[in-house]
Amino acid sequence: MEANKVASKVSFESKQLDDNSANFLDLRNKALACGLKGDIGIPFLWNGESNECFIGDTDVINFFKNKLK
């Protein structure tokens, strides 16, 4: 992400879950909106434009690769 300067090309918000219950609840609510239940993997990305969720390195990386095309 840093090497490709993704943050300067694609607008997104990054949140930490460590000791932050509000961020954890936000992640949980986004996952539920996508129909996901149970354990949610990290990294987790919610695309508000399409209400899609992406879980894991590969899916998140591919999402940003497609955005940069």
Side-chain angles (χ1 to χ4, degrees):
M1 299 274 293
E2 289 179 25
N4 292 311
K5 300 179 180 164
V6 174
S8 68
K9 300 172 186 172
V10 179
S11 176
F12 66 94
E13 183 179 2
S14 178
K15 295 183 178 183
Q16 294 295 325
L17 297 178
D18 300 343
D19 298 323
N20 192 318
S21 59
N23 286 348
F24 177 78
L25 289 174
D26 190 35
L27 177 143
R28 184 177 167 270
N29 290 334
K30 300 294 192 236
L32 288 173
C34 289
L36 302 172
K37 297 177 182 173
D39 292 337
I40 310 298
I42 304 295
F44 174 88
L45 176 100
W46 177 69
N47 180 0
E49 294 173 4
S50 62
N51 197 37
E52 286 181 278
C53 293
F54 301 89
I55 300 171
D57 293 343
T58 302
D59 288 346
V60 171
I61 289 167
N62 287 336
F63 171 84
F64 283 111
K65 279 184 180 178
N66 288 330
K67 280 291 201 181
L68 293 174
K69 287 183 181 180

